[in-house]
Amino acid sequence: MEKGDCCTATPEYPHPFIHKVKLTRSLRIRGLILGSILVPIRITLAALFFLIMWPVARLRLAGLSEEERARPVTGWRRWLFHPIIWLLSRAVFFSMGFLWVKVKGRRANLKEAPVLVVAPHSSFLDMIVLCPTQLATVVSRSENTKLPVIGALLEFNQSVLVSRKDPESRKKAVTELIERLTSKGYWPQMLMFPEGTTTNGQSLIKFKPGAFLAAVPVQPVLLRYPNKLDTVRWTYKGTSWTEAVWHTASQFYTNMTVEFLPVYNPSEEEKENPSLYADNVQKLMAKALGVPATDYVMEGRVPVSKLGDLSLPLASPGRETLSLLRKNGLEEHEIEAALGKMIDRCLSGAQGSKASADELTSILSLKDKQTAVCICGLYSKDETVDLRQLYFSVSALTDFTNFKNLLHSAFTLFDQEGKGSLSGEELSGLMGAMLGISQHNTGALYAEASRQGLLTEENLLQVLTTHLTYQKVVNDYLQPEEVGSRLSPGPAANGKAVNNGLTHSVSGSLHHNKKLE
């Protein structure tokens, strides 16, 4: 199955990070009645089993030194406590309505496949897959060790722990992961969710390379929930985790199927290239599931698609900002005036490019602060916004200026020393401002656009408007909608690549139509 090269969610490549349980009026009434009875009982039973697991899990490593804890548990500590925790784990999910789990295929043994890769990842309820995999070792955030019960279970599991905030922790986790997967049976089998986050299951998002770094065989494992009502999934937007628990526990039972596919043995090329290995396994699993394999990822808690080395938001913050402003009654000339204030402030450098929600309310002349808070939320995790991102991502979608002039403004702003060229870091800042989302890897674009180690405005403009990959970024994200549709590449004619908005001759000269003058 070929990957989607689309930048935004389409019917063919659905948005994987949005899921909402669809309830008719009768289903709502039924859920309310059954939920009021079943949910308290099931939550109570699950909590009871968890509480029983807590001390049992702690006992497994009790009395061991740090050195002994760094080795796999064997002997009586394994054969005594492992079956108890397995039974209690199954009891937790049984109490939540997973009365039976259908298993298809054969689980490979440790020597055949040191790691199981599981997809799609739908919610925390997916952890029931640990039961048919005999509590395989997992990778988890180190922050989870502080949670009651969960911390004890991660200790029992001897999980590989990683802090998402600490780069050194990631390096250490990768080293430990490779060491375990290449231990030739010394460490137990591992289980990983290569998507790295939960989705609605309508497509497989790009696999992270972690499970494939050791270049050992993997066994793909598919999860399915063949139920009339899809209650299990918990995603970036839509159904919350509490709603997922309520709706799932309100059902008489929830079906689940775990399918073990044949072991995937990597080729020599895949062993050398973990990303290629991950992509090929993703395609294989997507084909078996009958869904698309996509380049969508969750980056910094923002859903994006990958095009070349750029991260493109599935929901353009610039378009959403324009929509919010227009809903609040701002006329086009008022939006243009507000954008003028933003770029003036950025160019002056006196107040800095960061603005609070209160400042943004004033700049946009909004009647209430809430709209400004919403706009800030499109660009950051707090009530602040980088005005450079806001200005360029919104301006690119309006008719107030054209792309060439906009790029000139951005280049001038980020070329702070006025040397006429940008560094790699400055290019990342410029593209992040234009797209409305931080860019962490623009090395390929820098290499493509730089000449003799210098990245000039002219060269950058040429690459962005003629290179097939980056031209698509400009067309889909950095043009008003009606313009972007006119800039799609046309057929070659007379030795020229015709682009309806641009004509790039073989000699390299660039001619712009009125929009790009």
Side-chain angles (χ1 to χ4, degrees):
M1 177 175 292
E2 295 299 321
K3 279 178 179 272
D5 60 356
C6 52
C7 300
T8 55
T10 65
E12 184 181 2
Y13 300 102
H15 196 315
F17 301 108
I18 297 177
H19 175 72
K20 188 70 178 176
V21 178
K22 298 176 181 178
L23 297 172
T24 62
R25 186 176 181 181
S26 60
L27 286 175
R28 289 183 183 278
I29 295 172
R30 177 178 177 270
L32 188 61
I33 295 172
L34 289 178
S36 61
I37 300 170
L38 292 176
V39 172
I41 295 174
R42 284 178 163 164
I43 295 298
T44 300
L45 285 174
L48 177 62
F49 290 129
F50 266 126
L51 288 173
I52 296 173
M53 276 195 280
W54 197 350
V56 176
R58 291 295 188 195
L59 284 173
R60 190 188 199 197
L61 299 182
L64 296 181
S65 64
E66 287 298 319
E67 183 180 350
E68 291 171 319
R69 286 168 179 252
R71 298 195 294 265
V73 171
T74 57
W76 67 271
R77 290 177 183 270
R78 180 171 178 82
W79 63 253
L80 176 61
F81 294 113
H82 194 275
I84 296 174
I85 294 296
W86 182 92
L87 188 63
L88 289 171
S89 299
R90 186 65 188 91
V92 168
F93 288 102
F94 187 90
S95 65
M96 288 298 295
F98 293 85
L99 305 186
W100 50 83
V101 176
K102 183 177 180 180
V103 178
K104 298 172 66 177
R106 180 187 69 87
R107 180 172 71 95
N109 62 43
L110 176 59
K111 291 185 178 180
E112 291 175 304
V115 60
L116 308 172
V117 289
V118 184
H121 191 12
S122 301
S123 79
F124 54 89
L125 294 170
D126 289 343
M127 297 312 294
I128 191 175
V129 74
L130 286 172
C131 295
T133 58
Q134 296 301 310
L135 305 183
T137 304
V138 300
V139 177
S140 180
R141 292 188 303 166
S142 58
E143 292 82 0
N144 290 338
T145 58
K146 299 176 182 179
L147 297 175
V149 185
I150 301 300
L153 291 174
L154 290 174
E155 180 183 276
F156 170 92
N157 186 255
Q158 292 189 288
S159 304
V160 174
L161 302 176
V162 57
S163 172
R164 295 182 178 180
K165 300 178 181 178
D166 182 5
E168 289 302 317
S169 173
R170 295 180 187 179
K171 292 178 183 178
K172 183 179 178 181
V174 167
T175 301
E176 184 178 357
L177 183 64
I178 294 175
E179 180 184 320
R180 290 193 183 194
L181 295 181
T182 56
S183 65
K184 297 182 179 181
Y186 180 67
W187 280 97
Q189 196 170 49
M190 295 198 68
L191 181 148
M192 299 180 70
F193 292 92
E195 291 179 293
T197 190
T198 56
T199 72
N200 58 22
Q202 293 183 34
S203 63
L204 288 188
I205 64 174
K206 189 174 180 64
F207 281 8
K208 296 182 181 298
F212 309 93
L213 291 172
V216 296
V218 303
Q219 182 172 33
V221 183
L222 308 179
L223 298 187
R224 295 186 179 92
Y225 294 94
N227 302 288
K228 290 183 179 179
L229 195 61
D230 193 354
T231 63
V232 173
R233 306 186 197 281
W234 167 40
T235 54
Y236 168 73
K237 285 186 179 180
T239 303
S240 66
W241 72 269
T242 52
E243 290 174 314
V245 170
W246 174 273
H247 292 313
T248 301
S250 297
Q251 308 305 307
F252 284 117
Y253 59 87
T254 299
N255 292 312
M256 181 185 187
T257 300
V258 177
E259 181 178 0
F260 294 98
L261 297 182
V263 172
Y264 189 104
N265 290 285
S267 64
E268 290 303 317
E269 185 180 8
E270 289 170 329
K271 289 179 180 179
E272 294 295 324
N273 188 342
S275 294
L276 175 65
Y277 187 5
D279 288 346
N280 289 340
V281 174
Q282 181 208 23
K283 291 178 184 178
L284 174 75
M285 296 178 73
K287 184 176 182 180
L289 288 164
V291 300
T294 72
D295 281 329
Y296 299 149
V297 297
M298 186 68 80
E299 196 171 87
R301 297 185 181 179
V302 177
V304 303
S305 63
K306 304 296 287 188
L307 188 60
D309 55 349
L310 299 179
S311 300
L312 308 177
L314 266 62
S316 166
R319 294 195 197 284
E320 293 197 27
T321 297
L322 274 176
S323 177
L324 284 170
L325 295 179
R326 287 164 180 161
K327 284 180 181 178
N328 274 264
L330 268 71
E331 301 290 342
E332 296 303 302
H333 70 276
E334 293 176 306
I335 296 175
E336 184 175 8
L339 291 172
K341 293 179 186 176
M342 292 180 200
I343 192 63
D344 287 344
R345 170 168 165 170
C346 292
L347 290 171
S348 71
Q351 296 174 281
S353 62
K354 283 280 187 179
S356 66
D358 288 320
E359 290 175 303
L360 189 60
T361 302
S362 175
I363 293 171
L364 296 173
S365 301
L366 295 171
K367 296 177 181 178
D368 65 279
K369 178 183 174 182
Q370 189 55 42
T371 300
V373 171
C374 291
I375 292 173
C376 289
L378 297 173
Y379 293 88
S380 68
K381 299 174 184 177
D382 53 27
E383 293 186 8
T384 63
V385 64
D386 187 329
L387 292 178
R388 297 173 300 179
Q389 285 190 342
L390 181 55
Y391 171 78
F392 288 108
S393 64
V394 172
S395 294
L397 305 175
T398 68
D399 289 319
F400 305 149
T401 186
N402 56 59
F403 179 68
K404 182 180 179 182
N405 289 339
L406 194 66
L407 182 64
H408 175 71
S409 297
F411 199 97
T412 301
L413 183 63
F414 283 90
D415 179 19
Q416 296 179 349
E417 298 179 7
K419 56 185 181 296
S421 64
L422 297 181
S423 65
E425 184 178 350
E426 289 168 336
L427 176 63
S428 294
L430 183 149
M431 293 306 299
M434 299 285 279
L435 293 168
I437 181 174
S438 298
Q439 301 295 316
H440 304 289
N441 183 17
T442 56
L445 174 58
Y446 187 88
E448 186 71 34
S450 59
R451 300 289 184 273
Q452 298 178 339
L454 294 176
L455 177 62
T456 65
E457 181 182 340
E458 181 183 358
N459 291 338
L460 180 58
L461 175 64
Q462 183 174 352
V463 170
L464 289 177
T465 52
T466 60
H467 188 285
L468 288 178
T469 297
Y470 302 115
Q471 185 185 73
K472 183 171 178 60
V473 175
V474 174
N475 291 351
D476 290 353
Y477 278 84
L478 302 176
Q479 298 283 353
E481 290 182 0
E482 66 277 8
V483 176
S485 65
R486 296 201 300 270
L487 292 180
S488 55
N494 301 321
K496 298 178 181 180
V498 180
N499 177 24
N500 292 345
L502 305 170
T503 305
H504 181 61
S505 66
V506 175
S507 65
S509 61
L510 190 63
H511 308 284
H512 301 273
N513 69 359
K514 185 176 180 180
K515 258 295 174 192
L516 297 178
E517 288 176 352

